[in-house]
Amino acid sequence: MDHEDRRLGTLLDQRYRILRRLGSGGAGVVYEARHEEMERRVAIKILHDELFRTPSAFERFRREARAAGQLAHPNVVTIHDFGRAGDSEAFLVMEHCAGGSLADRLAREGALAPAATLDVLGQVAAAVAAAHAAGVVHRDLKPANILFAGALVKVADFGLAKMLAGDDAQLTGAHAIGSPLYMSPEQCQGL
């Protein structure tokens, strides 16, 4: 059993019962959990320990919570909480989207029908427009970060978001960050 599996069944921050692993990425592992007092299902992203040790990792993680928390839109995953458990584990609590990701759906079912594709793209565009209006650029928009919650499509994982204004603009700078297969040519060039 690996390190992440040992979290199953444990209580994070004395509130969140870890139920099952949903997936993992470059920044962390995502679990389905239950807020014990509110009896609400949530998704919790826990930053990888090795990334937490770098100087800007926690700040980048904190910015994800702040950037996503600013976005009140039906097509953006809602952020409920953020914190540290003990001295090391940083976590982000967000709404649980039971329908999985677009990447999962494409792997399972193949290409979407044209009408379904238009519906998904329309909702993603609405989320991106809301983010841009709030001064946030996602920078890692890909099928794994597009989730389904019933009929709603929701954009998740603003961990690589760049604040267009304010003090946070210096953190990501003008260097290539994201998933190469989904990056724009300008992003690949660090522009």
Side-chain angles (χ1 to χ4, degrees):
M1 182 165 21
D2 65 8
H3 174 71
E4 287 79 22
D5 289 342
R6 285 187 268 142
R7 288 191 178 111
L8 298 179
T10 63
L11 195 60
L12 177 69
D13 200 35
Q14 302 176 4
R15 293 178 285 172
Y16 302 103
R17 178 77 55 199
I18 305 296
L19 302 175
R20 70 183 177 107
R21 185 175 174 157
L22 296 173
S24 63
V29 181
V30 180
Y31 295 94
E32 178 180 350
R34 180 182 64 245
H35 188 289
E36 291 290 272
E37 291 296 316
M38 298 177 73
E39 296 183 1
R40 178 184 0 177
R41 296 266 177 184
V42 295
I44 296 182
K45 180 177 183 179
I46 299 175
L47 190 67
H48 288 311
D49 289 340
E50 63 272 11
L51 294 178
F52 186 71
R53 291 185 186 108
T54 64
S56 63
F58 183 77
E59 187 60 23
R60 210 175 297 126
F61 194 67
R62 183 192 66 77
R63 189 179 56 248
E64 176 178 351
R66 195 171 100 204
Q70 290 175 2
L71 304 174
H73 190 276
N75 298 116
V76 174
V77 170
T78 301
I79 302 301
H80 296 300
D81 195 6
F82 164 79
R84 282 186 177 166
D87 293 332
S88 62
E89 284 187 320
F91 65 90
L92 179 69
V93 181
M94 55 205 129
E95 77 177 287
H96 178 254
C97 297
S101 73
L102 177 59
D104 294 337
R105 186 170 286 182
L106 292 171
R108 190 176 56 249
E109 301 171 11
L112 300 178
T117 300
L118 289 175
D119 181 45
V120 169
L121 291 176
Q123 291 187 60
V124 169
V128 170
H132 289 185
V136 177
V137 177
H138 191 285
R139 290 178 64 165
D140 197 27
L141 195 57
K142 59 186 178 183
N145 290 336
I146 298 170
L147 306 177
F148 295 95
L152 285 176
V153 174
K154 297 190 172 251
V155 176
D157 198 0
F158 282 81
L160 298 176
K162 178 180 180 182
M163 301 302 291
L164 294 178
D167 295 337
D168 286 343
Q170 297 297 322
L171 285 173
T172 55
H175 55 279
I177 296 177
S179 300
L181 291 175
Y182 298 97
M183 292 169 66
S184 68
E186 297 85 358
Q187 209 170 340
C188 290
Q189 295 171 9
L191 302 175

